[in-house]
Amino acid sequence: MAQAKRGEDFEKTKGSPDNFTGNVFIQNTGKVEEGATVLRVTFEKGAHTFWHKHTGRQVLYFLEGKGRVQLRGQEVINAVSGDVVQIPPNTDHWHGAHPEETDHMSHLAITSGELTWEEPVADGEYTAK
Ligand code: MN
C-alpha cells in the first residue's frame, strides 16, 4: 500500500559549515533501494555545497527556486523547478542556490554510493556567468 507523509513532517537537519557555504537544510525522505537515499535539500540565499563526489550516480531534481550545478572543468549549469541534472559516478561537482536567487532553492538529491567532501567552491566559480 502506498504511504503518504506530509512535507512538513520530515525532520530538518542543518548542513555542516565543514561541507556547505551558507544555510542549508536537509530532509531525509527515505530510501528507494538499498544504498540509495532521497534527500530534500534546501539552500538559502547564496548557499551551496563544497566540491564533492559520490561513488554512485546522483540525480538532482529541482523543486523550487533557481539553482546551479557544476562539474569540475565544465561550464556551470543553471536549473529551475522541474529540471533534472544527472551527475556521473566519481565526478567532482557542486550544487546550490543560483547566486541571483533571493529566497531559496530546493532539490531532491537521489544518490547512491559513498560521499567524499573536498574544498569550498571559490567565490569566482560560484558567481561565474
Ligand atoms: Mn552531489
Side-chain angles (χ1 to χ4, degrees):
M1 199 167 85
Q3 278 191 311
K5 190 171 175 182
R6 301 302 166 197
E8 62 268 25
D9 292 338
F10 291 103
E11 185 182 353
K12 276 190 181 176
T13 303
K14 194 167 191 300
S16 165
D18 293 339
N19 301 324
F20 297 90
T21 298
N23 290 329
V24 180
F25 298 93
I26 300 156
Q27 293 167 283
N28 189 339
T29 60
K31 284 182 183 289
V32 289
E33 60 187 81
E34 192 57 42
T37 58
V38 185
L39 303 180
R40 180 178 183 134
V41 189
T42 300
F43 297 81
E44 293 188 347
K45 178 178 166 57
H48 49 282
T49 68
F50 284 20
W51 287 101
H52 65 283
K53 60 189 172 186
H54 315 274
T55 56
R57 221 157 46 89
Q58 182 173 57
V59 178
L60 300 176
Y61 192 112
F62 288 82
L63 300 173
E64 299 176 299
K66 291 175 67 178
R68 294 202 126 171
V69 182
Q70 187 177 26
L71 276 54
R72 182 122 37 204
Q74 297 188 20
E75 287 197 4
V76 69
I77 298 164
N78 294 320
V80 295
S81 172
D83 292 349
V84 177
V85 178
Q86 306 256 357
I87 311 293
N90 300 307
T91 302
D92 289 348
H93 68 285
W94 62 268
H95 30 113
H98 189 286
E100 293 169 3
E101 173 59 60
T102 57
D103 190 353
H104 71 276
M105 179 279 282
S106 69
H107 65 47
L108 284 183
I110 304 160
T111 313
S112 64
E114 300 300 315
L115 168 60
T116 302
W117 288 107
E118 295 159 348
E119 79 281 12
V121 177
D123 287 348
E125 289 175 304
Y126 176 59
T127 58
K129 293 294 177 200

